[in-house]
Amino acid sequence: SHIKIGDVQVQQGNTPAALAAYQKSLGIAETLAQADPSNTQAQRDLYVSYDRIGRVQVQQGNTPAALAAYQKSLAIAETLAQADPSNTQAQRDLSGSYSRLGRVQELLGHSDEAKHSLQQAITLVQPLTVQDPQNQILQNDLAEYQSVLARLQGNEQLRLQQPQAAVQSYQQALAISLRLAAVNQDDMDVQRDVYLHYQKLGDAYAALPDHHAANTAYQEALRRLEAVWPTVQSFPASSLARREWEEIRGKWEGV
């Protein structure tokens, strides 16, 4: 399928080809969904296509377009989850949609909206973990959302000039994401969380100020980012990873 082709292109770092494949998948899904609006599989294919398009646009640094794609995928996921409340996959799709929407809202600086989205994701997935406590995928989803929410709280504390409280929030976020990254090595969101949490920890230490601790955190953030994206220096200047690499490098050199 075009989704699988796109996924392979993402793994190879070819985001333009991945986006083209996902857009082909979207075109097919739209045709099928319009022909039979009651076809749940066609609706889910539509959701997946918009979701994948959003993910690629995030990587490309096209955050406003990613926001629009995620809003469309979220609307479809909400419809499917409401139509079948006992369907765990539909509920998980919806919680994941809120989580990814929250990440984009964070990138756009919409911190209150981002926190609301992450809280929605947690509210949706928490009952699923209670119903099926042995399901490690659901447990990991919950932990991931909690780590992002802790980061958002740290961001807020740093804005309010409470660096010591921010250090604690970022350490909590980092501890969760390090555990998740060890078992989900192919999950780019989780791997990004690790270097982002080290960077944020560096920001909080710099604000204390504890320059030695800040320097150590920024160095580890750079090391982790370069491990995920070994060729980051050759990425387009507009790409998210390249911009984050340059930002962390600038902070490290400035400590």
Side-chain angles (χ1 to χ4, degrees):
S1 74
H2 291 295
I3 290 288
K4 286 179 181 171
I5 293 167
D7 290 350
V8 170
Q9 299 288 358
V10 166
Q11 288 170 346
Q12 293 172 350
N14 190 346
T15 53
L19 186 58
Y22 294 146
Q23 284 168 335
K24 281 182 185 172
S25 170
L26 177 65
I28 294 165
E30 279 180 327
T31 303
L32 293 172
Q34 284 166 4
D36 184 3
S38 64
N39 185 330
T40 304
Q41 187 57 54
Q43 293 293 332
R44 186 166 193 276
D45 288 347
L46 202 54
Y47 152 78
V48 170
S49 299
Y50 276 123
D51 185 70
R52 292 293 208 282
I53 286 169
R55 291 186 199 211
V56 172
Q57 287 168 330
V58 167
Q59 286 187 24
Q60 291 179 329
N62 191 352
T63 322
L67 179 69
Y70 281 150
Q71 285 169 333
K72 287 175 181 173
S73 69
L74 175 67
I76 298 163
E78 274 185 321
T79 302
L80 292 172
Q82 285 167 4
D84 191 355
S86 63
N87 185 323
T88 300
Q89 184 61 57
Q91 301 301 320
R92 182 174 182 247
D93 286 347
L94 182 55
S95 70
S97 279
Y98 271 114
S99 162
R100 286 183 286 280
L101 182 65
R103 288 172 178 277
V104 169
Q105 289 165 332
E106 179 190 12
L107 284 169
L108 289 166
H110 303 163
S111 53
D112 288 342
E113 290 174 20
K115 275 198 284 190
H116 174 73
S117 294
L118 264 300
Q119 282 160 345
Q120 287 288 102
I122 289 168
T123 299
L124 283 158
V125 84
Q126 218 151 21
L128 303 180
T129 64
V130 174
Q131 288 166 21
D132 189 359
Q134 302 305 314
N135 188 321
Q136 200 55 53
I137 292 171
L138 294 173
Q139 297 292 341
N140 289 349
D141 284 349
L142 178 59
E144 179 193 333
Y145 307 159
Q146 288 170 332
S147 81
V148 178
L149 188 59
R151 177 172 79 231
L152 293 169
Q153 286 166 341
N155 295 349
E156 182 69 18
Q157 289 158 336
L158 209 50
R159 270 197 298 276
L160 295 171
Q161 299 182 327
Q162 298 167 356
Q164 193 60 60
V167 165
Q168 291 176 343
S169 292
Y170 292 143
Q171 284 175 333
Q172 179 191 345
L174 178 62
I176 298 169
S177 56
L178 280 170
R179 179 172 60 78
L180 292 175
V183 294
N184 294 298
Q185 293 178 355
D186 295 331
D187 187 327
M188 287 298 113
D189 279 342
V190 169
Q191 298 298 330
R192 177 176 174 263
D193 284 340
V194 172
Y195 65 73
L196 207 51
H197 292 152
Y198 273 115
Q199 179 198 339
K200 296 290 188 180
L201 205 46
D203 293 347
Y205 282 132
L208 274 174
D210 182 339
H211 297 304
H212 175 71
N215 182 60
T216 303
Y218 288 140
Q219 272 187 313
E220 188 59 18
L222 269 180
R223 190 184 75 78
R224 294 274 181 167
L225 189 152
E226 289 166 357
V228 177
W229 309 110
T231 60
V232 67
Q233 294 178 56
S234 66
F235 283 16
S238 60
S239 73
L240 179 63
R242 173 73 180 270
R243 284 190 287 126
E244 289 180 332
W245 178 74
E246 288 179 350
E247 184 184 348
I248 297 167
R249 197 173 167 82
K251 287 178 176 180
W252 172 54
E253 289 170 352
V255 169

